[in-house]
Amino acid sequence: MKTLSVLCVVCTLAVLSVSGTAEPKLKNCNEVRAAFSSKGFNVNDVPNKGINGASLKVCPQGFSCCTAELEEKLSQQSHTEIKAPVSRLSTSLQSTFKQRHDHFDKFFQELLKNSQKSLHTMFTRTYGMMYMENAQLFDDFFASLTRYYVSGSAAVNLDSMLSDFWADLLERMFRLVNVQYEFSDAYMECVSRNTEELQPFGDVPRKLRIQLTRAFVAARTFVRGLALMPDVVNKVSTVSASPSCVRAAMKMLYCPYCSGQVALKPCQNYCLNVMRGCLANQADLDTEWNNFLDAMLGLADRLEGPFNFESVMDPIDVKISEAIMNMQENSVQVSQKVFQGCGTPKPATVVRSKRSVRETGFTGRFRPYSPEARPTTAAGTSLDRLTVEVKKKLKHAKKFWSTLPETVCVDERTALGDECWNGTAKSRYQSDVIGNGLANQVSNPDVEVDITKPDVMIRTQIAVLKDMTNRLKAAYSGNDMSIEIDDEVTSGDGESGSGCDSPSCGEDDIYISTPQTPHNPWVNQVHSDSSAEASSQGSMALALCGLALALLVPHWR
């Protein structure tokens, strides 16, 4: 009995001894105070010693270095901390594609200006006063192209604009090659109405219409897509975290502090479940986001190949010059067809004086600039270089939304195995990692998510991306979704953006083909002896005019 009493006394002393050494450690919150102070908290908000955590709403109750008031401040801080990496990644993505948009837009607009300057310089040197008196026609042509690029079919019907341009050009040239006649406005309307049947400019208008339509639709749609990306990212990144998300984030980030374990990191899988719950709505954007990026990449391929804006606009002065030369070569035949279809005009009462221009020979063929002589200077770069760079960025942006949790829960912020915070203690995290997206959150063990209430802002952006994806796919086929484009433009007949559809495209010389005779006869044809006589007299005048034109045509580049 005496021995038992001694044993009890020894045990009691041992327990008291252990309690005496542990009590100061448990009640000491100095490390926690220092840690919170380093994060900007008021150190006075942290108790000096551990207190009963019965009043805590999120962190484990029991011993704690946190109060209910501090827990509220930690909740606000947690909201900021989970938002910070998402905001940083979103800002970087916005900046990347804002820059790419600006680069492409500047390139396309400068290329339009450079093409206009090139045509002005070439036509001033080539045609002199004849061009200067008609320069407004070409200025209006480029102004309309620029308006279409900026505002699309809402501002300019590209097909109608091109038809009007060629009709106006025909009217002006027809007067120049038939100076011995007087033409009424009604007569010239008849000429304009039949521009397509006359084909005075050869095949150039048809080819250029196809090339311009494809290239402009592709260019402006691609630029709109680049502009849309920062806007979508900005709107999605402003979506606020739900209260349940904030609570889960605080529990993950700061409850270890409250228990005195300031160096303890969250378990990685625990972090993934919390962030997938917090970013469930954003993850649902991923499918449509990836579809949109695939459509952008497809259109980028078109810009590099058959719908190359640069290869259409850079030599447009050459193409229009080719059309003008077709008219010059075939002016006699064109005039005869007009006289047959619209009637013989009255002879001019006063013959206009001839212009004084350089005398040059006319070789019957056209030599454009070589590629070496036509360097690209728009925005100091080339379309190929811009496209290669942006394709890398587009590919890198895929799965951006679904991988945000992994990006946030990187190794330096989390830990593996047993040496991590699992939400209640320092131990292994046992729950399975759930999938991305709203529907999967029904089984999230760490964040309460109402899967019946998807975020309205994000659903709106999903719809916006779907619409833009459809426009990109239409542009891939050469179609502007807002207008009806005829089958010739969208048939994919194999013509490249440069307009080359013959084996000789790579050669230095481009030979001019004679326009085919129209298949459909005109109405209002004049058949009389007097008209035949006038036509016979006109033929001599036309021959003389043709000789004069041969002297008027300057050297081609």
Side-chain angles (χ1 to χ4, degrees):
M1 187 68 181
K2 185 177 179 180
T3 305
L4 183 60
S5 298
V6 172
L7 196 59
C8 287
V9 171
V10 171
C11 290
T12 302
L13 290 173
V15 171
L16 290 174
S17 175
V18 172
S19 299
T21 57
E23 189 74 15
K25 182 180 178 183
L26 288 171
K27 290 187 176 181
N28 189 341
C29 293
N30 290 339
E31 286 187 17
V32 178
R33 287 165 63 87
F36 277 139
S37 177
S38 68
K39 286 183 171 289
F41 289 97
N42 188 337
V43 73
N44 294 324
D45 291 335
V46 185
N48 289 315
K49 296 181 179 181
I51 62 172
N52 189 323
S55 63
L56 300 181
K57 297 178 180 178
V58 178
C59 293
Q61 297 178 346
F63 164 80
S64 180
C65 284
C66 294
T67 62
E69 293 77 14
L70 180 58
E71 200 177 42
E72 181 61 34
K73 293 181 179 179
L74 292 174
S75 179
Q76 296 171 11
Q77 178 66 16
S78 299
H79 188 193
T80 301
E81 288 197 24
I82 62 166
K83 189 176 179 180
V86 175
S87 178
R88 185 172 62 253
L89 292 165
S90 298
T91 300
S92 175
L93 193 65
Q94 288 179 65
S95 175
T96 294
F97 287 101
K98 174 68 169 63
Q99 289 176 358
R100 293 300 174 274
H101 166 268
D102 292 348
H103 291 166
F104 270 89
D105 187 51
K106 182 180 180 182
F107 176 81
F108 288 140
Q109 298 226 36
E110 280 197 16
L111 191 57
L112 276 165
K113 291 177 183 177
N114 290 351
S115 298
Q116 183 174 6
K117 290 177 184 176
S118 177
L119 182 141
H120 180 77
T121 301
M122 173 186 175
F123 278 33
T124 299
R125 185 176 67 246
T126 303
Y127 297 106
M129 189 56 65
M130 283 190 293
Y131 163 70
M132 297 302 292
E133 290 178 354
N134 295 279
Q136 190 61 47
L137 172 64
F138 300 95
D139 290 342
D140 291 344
F141 171 73
F142 280 100
S144 295
L145 288 179
T146 301
R147 281 205 319 278
Y148 178 78
Y149 168 75
V150 172
S151 304
S153 55
V156 176
N157 184 312
L158 192 58
D159 198 56
S160 298
M161 184 276 288
L162 291 171
S163 296
D164 292 344
F165 169 74
W166 293 114
D168 200 352
L169 183 59
L170 171 61
E171 180 180 328
R172 293 167 191 249
M173 289 195 67
F174 188 77
R175 290 180 187 274
L176 286 173
V177 299
N178 290 284
V179 292
Q180 71 273 30
Y181 293 109
E182 286 185 355
F183 300 101
S184 66
D185 291 342
Y187 193 95
M188 294 314 300
E189 283 181 14
C190 177
V191 176
S192 297
R193 279 197 308 271
N194 295 283
T195 302
E196 282 194 31
E197 278 191 53
L198 284 169
Q199 290 191 339
F201 303 110
D203 205 28
V204 174
R206 184 190 71 84
K207 283 186 176 181
L208 196 58
R209 178 173 64 86
I210 294 171
Q211 294 156 15
L212 285 173
T213 300
R214 289 173 170 173
F216 269 78
V217 168
R220 73 178 306 273
T221 306
F222 191 77
V223 168
R224 284 180 66 193
L226 289 174
L228 179 67
M229 293 180 71
D231 187 56
V232 169
V233 173
N234 178 57
K235 287 176 179 175
V236 173
S237 64
T238 59
V239 173
S240 298
S242 67
S244 61
C245 164
V246 175
R247 283 195 301 271
M250 199 210 87
K251 185 177 181 181
M252 177 180 73
L253 296 172
Y254 286 112
C255 284
Y257 283 68
C258 293
S259 64
Q261 303 175 88
V262 296
L264 194 60
K265 295 180 180 180
C267 299
Q268 190 172 63
N269 287 351
Y270 173 39
C271 178
L272 286 173
N273 274 346
V274 170
M275 294 311 299
R276 286 184 178 182
C278 288
L279 299 171
N281 280 286
Q282 286 86 336
D284 280 349
L285 192 75
D286 216 47
T287 298
E288 211 51 57
W289 175 262
N290 291 336
N291 290 340
F292 164 77
L293 291 176
D294 285 336
M296 287 287 287
L297 286 165
L299 194 55
D301 288 338
R302 288 295 210 194
L303 286 174
E304 285 182 310
F307 296 179
N308 192 304
F309 190 89
E310 187 174 14
S311 66
V312 173
M313 287 309 302
D314 195 38
I316 198 167
D317 51 356
V318 172
K319 294 172 186 290
I320 295 175
S321 294
E322 180 184 341
I324 291 172
M325 197 171 73
N326 281 344
M327 173 64 184
Q328 290 172 335
E329 276 191 318
N330 299 288
S331 59
V332 175
Q333 298 95 311
V334 170
S335 296
Q336 288 174 344
K337 289 177 185 177
V338 170
F339 296 158
Q340 290 171 8
C342 298
T344 305
K346 295 179 182 179
T349 54
V350 178
V351 180
R352 302 172 195 171
S353 61
K354 294 182 179 179
R355 305 179 190 277
S356 176
V357 295
R358 293 182 299 166
E359 293 188 2
T360 63
F362 180 57
T363 64
R365 63 174 60 185
F366 176 66
R367 291 182 180 274
Y369 283 128
S370 67
E372 291 76 17
R374 297 181 63 87
T376 298
T377 57
T381 186
S382 70
L383 184 57
D384 287 344
R385 190 180 309 157
L386 287 172
T387 307
V388 168
E389 290 174 355
V390 81
K391 283 170 72 174
K392 292 178 182 176
K393 301 297 182 182
L394 289 168
K395 290 174 183 176
H396 185 69
K398 293 189 77 173
K399 298 185 178 180
F400 175 78
W401 304 105
S402 62
T403 57
L404 274 178
E406 283 82 355
T407 309
V408 173
C409 300
V410 290
D411 292 342
E412 60 266 23
R413 293 198 187 101
T414 59
L416 299 172
D418 297 327
E419 299 296 314
C420 59
W421 175 255
N422 67 4
T424 56
K426 179 181 178 182
S427 182
R428 183 179 295 273
Y429 182 74
Q430 301 294 340
S431 299
D432 294 330
V433 177
I434 54 139
N436 282 300
L438 196 61
N440 285 316
Q441 304 315 306
V442 68
S443 58
N444 194 314
D446 300 295
V447 187
E448 293 179 14
V449 181
D450 188 348
I451 65 171
T452 65
K453 294 181 179 178
D455 185 85
V456 175
M457 172 64 78
I458 290 177
R459 298 297 142 173
T460 301
Q461 297 312 304
I462 289 174
V464 168
L465 286 171
K466 271 186 180 178
D467 178 70
M468 195 66 220
T469 299
N470 289 334
R471 293 179 183 276
L472 290 164
K473 288 179 178 178
Y476 181 87
S477 301
N479 247 340
D480 187 341
M481 273 184 64
S482 58
I483 57 173
E484 290 285 333
I485 298 180
D486 65 36
D487 293 338
E488 188 176 13
V489 177
T490 60
S491 62
D493 56 9
E495 291 184 331
S496 71
S498 63
C500 270
D501 59 355
S502 74
S504 62
C505 282
E507 299 174 6
D508 291 336
D509 299 323
I510 299 178
Y511 292 83
I512 310 304
S513 59
T514 304
Q516 295 180 351
T517 304
H519 296 296
N520 299 323
W522 289 358
V523 295
N524 299 329
Q525 292 184 348
V526 179
H527 298 286
S528 67
D529 292 339
S530 61
S531 66
E533 182 179 353
S535 177
S536 176
Q537 293 173 353
S539 297
M540 180 63 71
L542 284 169
L544 292 172
C545 183
L547 180 60
L549 280 170
L551 298 175
L552 290 175
V553 179
H555 288 296
W556 298 90
R557 293 183 287 180

